[in-house]
Amino acid sequence: MKGLRIIVTVKQVPDTADVKIDPKTNSLMREGIPSILNPEDKNAVEAALCLKQQHGGTIIAITMGPPQAEEVLGEVLAMGADQGVLLTDRAFAGSDTLITAFTLSRAIMKLGKYDLILCGRQAIDGDTAQVGPQLAGFLELPQVTYAEHISIEKGNAVVRRGLEDSTEWVRVKLPTLVTVTAAVNAPRYPMLYNVEAACDGSRIIIWGAQELKVPETMLGLNASPTGVKKIFEPERKKKGQIITGDPKDMTGILIDKLQELNML
Amino acid sequence: MDFKLTKQQKLTRNIARDFARHELEPFAQEWDEKMEFPREAIAKMRSLGFMGICIPQEYGGCGLDTVCYVLTIEELAKACASTAIIVGVHNSMGAYPIYLLGTDAQKKKYLSGLAAGKKLGAFALTEPNAGSDPVSMETTAEQQGKSYILNGTKTFITNGGTSDIVIVMAYTDRSKRGKGITAFIVEKKFKGFTAGPKENKLGIRASDTCELIFENCPVPATNVLGPFGGGLNAALEALNLGRVGVAAQALGVARRAMEACVTYSRERKQFGRPIADFQAIQWAIADMATEIEAARGLIFKAATLKDQGASFATEGAMAKLYASEVAMRTATKAVQIHGGYGCMKDYAVERCFRDAKVIEIYEGTSEIQRLIIARDVMR
């Protein structure tokens, strides 16, 4: 194999876990909040960089969003990716996860052959974890989610999946799509050395609906089947109880409490 | 007029912000307390390009503009003002003078190592009896064959103990006063060159400030930096850039103090409600925000003038004067808003307060900045 061609999907998100919700529009209020590269997408980029270090190849980062989403591509290029693709068009606005995945799939088809698509598990603004799997669906690729470790062996990806109560090892033939969690690695910092080259415009392609040759009826808000009925901030859970005393007393209190709650 | 940052500038700021938040902020208080030089953080910054921000790529630097430089220093200072000055002095006073004035051979020998951060740079002008008045310096350099023999003592030198390469000002002809001072590139390993112990300072405590002693220290004649007798001009030129960097450092400290007040005043309840509800607090924060924005304007103006190749000495002095005094005012008010907690080491405003005082003094005191500005305005 002559090096890997890896595509990484990335998203620009607000820099906070504490985003306020506009009750009138049912949307996230992003004004005045700085934007960052979604943390688990950063893990996906790092995973791609590590695989490139081992096997050689090319890394293409792709994002969809308003024109300023180009900023996260700059960051990914400064981390060491080779090329960025920005999908931006008014026609894309309001896309739900399905139409986002569809639009990304059309752009990826246009990019040509690839060995591996890496995605962050989920974005910190929506937390849906849907785009990766849906993208695999549109591209008719096998998918492996929740990756905590990835290696490439003889044309296969060997992935360790971190599940809630178990660990699963999966061997899958390339090309495939893998979504990664934060446990997969510790992402490197982008380098100031790379800033000049990342920003000279030569390494970022910008595509709209026209370039993707997709009719506008299949894009954006109107094509999206998801309607947001209501969005709300979850109520804060009740405060926990702290048990004090010597270990023997504390154990007794704990057992009583658990029995009271029918948990024992 | 366009107040927007370029793509390069935004990306640079984001990189510096992200790094500072994770690699400096969690440790800054401990470094300050223990007067600990942030060796590991500096090593990481070296590999990322922080040590050669404006130096062209052909010499191993990042080739970024001065606005990128001030944005970087501001973000670093917001997390740790000491780290900001270590990086700032290295870039503007260690590497930059060699880029500006060095011969090709000097650039090859010294600049690449500095820009890549393999060597740490420092700048030595101040002496025990020559602070704001550099012409009264006592360090001499006497020619002896193909070398100059340095004798004298420099004081309060940032990066003094940890640096590998120091730009040193010395008299080659005292009778010519300001025109008899020459700049030398001096390697720490040169014979007769020693650094004194680290000073125990009020603020900026993690940076390594110390005395440098030259006792019959031979420096090759090839290490004369810039024109012979042109050392003072070289120093002033480097100080112009250094000051814009220090202004950005002040801005970072001021922002940190203000943001701490915003958070604290929302959490702290007195008289049954958060103190943020009181106009006394709101007005103080409004004044801080306004002054911070004004300081930022001066800093960006000076940096932009430099990038355009225009003179920026007066604007640099204005930026340094104003931003450092804004940092002091903001930090003082911030401690007051925090009340008793503001006097505790657990709160960042306590450190901001001590750091801001130092920033008002080094790289030219407020009084010297006013002198520079008045000379230009009243000439």
Side-chain angles (χ1 to χ4, degrees), chain A residues 12 15-16 34-36 42 67-68 70-79 187-201 204 206, chain B residues 7-19 21-23 44 46-53 57 60-64 68 72 115-117:
Chain A
Q12 188 179 43
D15 180 13
T16 175
S35 299
I36 55 165
K42 218 177 197 178
Q68 63 266 28
E70 190 181 340
E71 288 172 17
V72 292
L73 292 179
E75 192 175 334
V76 171
L77 291 173
M79 283 174 80
R188 70 195 65 192
Y189 289 101
M191 293 169 97
L192 292 180
Y193 287 125
N194 293 338
V195 168
E196 202 179 12
C199 296
D200 70 5
I204 294 178
I206 301 174
Chain B
K7 285 177 192 170
Q8 273 191 18
Q9 291 159 357
K10 265 193 199 171
L11 181 55
T12 300
R13 182 199 59 195
N14 292 350
I15 291 173
R17 180 178 288 172
D18 190 38
F19 181 87
R21 184 193 285 182
H22 295 104
E23 303 290 337
K44 286 181 186 168
R46 172 186 359 172
S47 63
L48 297 174
F50 283 88
M51 308 313 270
I53 299 166
Q57 292 185 339
C62 301
L64 299 170
C68 286
T72 305

Side-chain angles (χ1 to χ4, degrees), chain A:
Chain A
M1 194 157 43
K2 237 182 168 184
L4 296 166
R5 192 165 149 93
I6 306 173
I7 293 171
V8 188
T9 60
V10 296
K11 185 181 184 186
Q12 188 179 43
V13 293
D15 180 13
T16 175
D18 190 27
V19 184
K20 296 273 175 276
I21 293 159
D22 186 335
K24 281 181 194 159
T25 60
N26 267 342
S27 60
L28 303 173
M29 289 164 70
R30 294 170 196 226
E31 270 170 36
I33 297 169
S35 299
I36 55 165
L37 171 59
N38 180 51
E40 285 183 337
D41 298 351
K42 218 177 197 178
N43 292 104
V45 174
E46 178 64 34
L49 290 165
C50 292
L51 290 173
K52 184 184 162 180
Q53 272 166 357
Q54 289 163 26
H55 303 279
T58 318
I59 299 170
I60 304 166
I62 183 164
T63 192
M64 182 171 122
Q68 63 266 28
E70 190 181 340
E71 288 172 17
V72 292
L73 292 179
E75 192 175 334
V76 171
L77 291 173
M79 283 174 80
D82 300 285
Q83 206 185 355
V85 179
L86 170 66
L87 305 180
T88 191
D89 197 311
R90 278 179 186 280
F92 300 155
S95 297
D96 66 359
T97 60
L98 190 75
I99 295 303
T100 300
F102 169 72
T103 314
L104 286 170
S105 73
R106 288 307 181 104
I108 290 172
M109 285 173 191
K110 191 174 158 76
L111 284 168
K113 279 194 171 176
Y114 50 84
D115 300 293
L116 180 64
I117 299 176
L118 289 170
C119 312
R121 172 189 49 171
Q122 63 190 36
I124 54 168
D125 55 353
D127 275 349
T128 67
Q130 289 169 356
V131 172
Q134 287 168 339
L135 179 57
F138 283 116
L139 293 170
E140 296 179 0
L141 285 178
Q143 57 173 294
V144 187
T145 50
Y146 305 110
E148 289 182 354
H149 186 269
I150 309 168
S151 58
I152 303 292
E153 294 169 14
K154 294 177 191 159
N156 292 290
V158 179
V159 183
R160 190 180 77 220
R161 301 180 72 209
L163 304 176
E164 219 162 87
D165 51 2
S166 61
T167 298
E168 191 175 85
W169 285 90
V170 179
R171 181 185 294 271
V172 57
K173 222 173 163 173
L174 300 181
T176 185
L177 181 146
V178 178
T179 77
V180 306
T181 70
V184 74
N185 52 37
R188 70 195 65 192
Y189 289 101
M191 293 169 97
L192 292 180
Y193 287 125
N194 293 338
V195 168
E196 202 179 12
C199 296
D200 70 5
S202 66
R203 296 206 277 157
I204 294 178
I205 307 170
I206 301 174
W207 285 339
Q210 220 173 3
E211 284 81 6
L212 298 187
K213 296 195 175 107
V214 180
E216 293 204 2
T217 49
M218 293 171 76
L219 296 167
L221 184 67
N222 291 335
S224 295
T226 316
V228 179
K229 195 173 173 197
K230 191 182 172 191
I231 192 165
F232 59 93
E233 289 175 66
E235 273 180 45
R236 302 223 176 236
K237 285 184 184 159
K238 279 184 198 163
K239 270 191 183 171
Q241 185 188 341
I242 295 169
I243 303 165
T244 51
D246 66 53
K248 209 175 165 187
D249 290 346
M250 287 195 290
T251 314
I253 297 168
L254 184 63
I255 288 170
D256 289 348
K257 196 86 198 165
L258 290 173
Q259 277 172 344
E260 193 184 308
L261 294 167
N262 288 328
M263 290 173 81
L264 275 182

Side-chain angles (χ1 to χ4, degrees), chain B residues 107-182:
Chain B
K107 285 180 187 167
K108 207 171 161 195
K109 187 169 181 190
Y110 294 112
L111 189 57
S112 307
L114 285 166
K118 288 179 190 146
K119 308 272 182 191
L120 190 70
F123 181 87
L125 174 67
T126 303
E127 296 189 4
N129 297 314
S132 295
D133 173 23
V135 177
S136 60
M137 73 165 66
E138 288 159 16
T139 299
T140 55
E142 270 182 58
Q143 190 163 13
Q144 220 175 68
K146 285 184 176 174
S147 292
Y148 285 84
I149 309 298
L150 260 63
N151 275 293
T153 299
K154 298 290 178 181
T155 197
F156 304 147
I157 306 305
T158 304
N159 295 350
T162 34
S163 57
D164 307 285
I165 293 160
V166 187
I167 314 286
V168 181
M169 305 296 147
Y171 267 118
T172 39
D173 185 349
R174 194 185 291 277
S175 66
K176 289 186 179 161
R177 294 187 48 82
K179 288 184 177 158
I181 295 171
T182 300

Side-chain angles (χ1 to χ4, degrees), chain B residues 64-349:
Chain B
L64 299 170
D65 62 22
T66 314
V67 175
C68 286
Y69 171 66
V70 295
L71 287 164
T72 305
I73 298 298
E74 178 191 341
E75 292 300 331
L76 299 181
K78 188 166 168 259
C80 174
S82 294
T83 306
I85 200 65
I86 294 164
V87 174
V89 161
H90 168 88
N91 271 279
S92 66
M93 310 296 286
Y96 177 67
I98 299 179
Y99 169 62
L100 194 70
L101 301 164
T103 61
D104 285 345
Q106 288 170 342
K107 285 180 187 167
K108 207 171 161 195
K109 187 169 181 190
Y110 294 112
L111 189 57
S112 307
L114 285 166
K118 288 179 190 146
K119 308 272 182 191
L120 190 70
F123 181 87
L125 174 67
T126 303
E127 296 189 4
N129 297 314
S132 295
D133 173 23
V135 177
S136 60
M137 73 165 66
E138 288 159 16
T139 299
T140 55
E142 270 182 58
Q143 190 163 13
Q144 220 175 68
K146 285 184 176 174
S147 292
Y148 285 84
I149 309 298
L150 260 63
N151 275 293
T153 299
K154 298 290 178 181
T155 197
F156 304 147
I157 306 305
T158 304
N159 295 350
T162 34
S163 57
D164 307 285
I165 293 160
V166 187
I167 314 286
V168 181
M169 305 296 147
Y171 267 118
T172 39
D173 185 349
R174 194 185 291 277
S175 66
K176 289 186 179 161
R177 294 187 48 82
K179 288 184 177 158
I181 295 171
T182 300
F184 294 88
I185 305 170
V186 184
E187 294 180 39
K188 190 57 83 45
K189 63 181 187 210
F190 285 175
K191 216 175 88 191
F193 180 8
T194 49
K198 194 169 177 173
E199 303 284 358
N200 185 359
K201 308 192 295 286
L202 166 78
I204 316 287
R205 287 167 55 81
S207 103
D208 159 38
T209 307
C210 61
E211 211 165 55
L212 300 181
I213 302 130
F214 303 92
E215 280 175 306
N216 295 319
C217 169
V219 179
T222 49
N223 279 26
V224 167
L225 180 64
F228 196 77
L232 195 59
N233 279 340
L236 295 177
E237 192 75 38
L239 280 165
N240 285 339
L241 180 61
R243 278 173 187 144
V244 186
V246 168
Q249 184 201 20
L251 183 62
V253 171
R255 268 181 59 211
R256 177 69 181 271
M258 181 183 78
E259 287 178 19
C261 290
V262 172
T263 308
Y264 180 82
S265 64
R266 280 181 182 152
E267 287 166 1
R268 171 73 170 167
K269 283 188 183 150
Q270 289 288 276
F271 307 103
R273 50 184 159 159
I275 62 168
D277 286 356
F278 298 116
Q279 281 193 334
I281 304 293
Q282 293 167 11
W283 292 0
I285 290 174
D287 286 345
M288 289 177 186
T290 306
E291 291 197 331
I292 284 170
E293 205 51 40
R296 189 193 307 280
L298 284 172
I299 293 165
F300 282 178
K301 167 110 186 260
T304 305
L305 284 172
K306 169 152 188 354
D307 286 333
Q308 291 168 344
S311 159
F312 66 103
T314 306
E315 288 77 5
M318 287 173 171
K320 199 274 172 183
L321 167 67
Y322 188 71
S324 63
E325 294 196 351
V326 165
M328 192 70 242
R329 274 198 293 277
T330 306
T332 305
K333 197 79 193 171
V335 171
Q336 194 70 23
I337 287 174
H338 281 67
Y341 294 107
C343 303
M344 300 297 142
K345 297 243 174 233
D346 293 343
Y347 285 77
V349 291

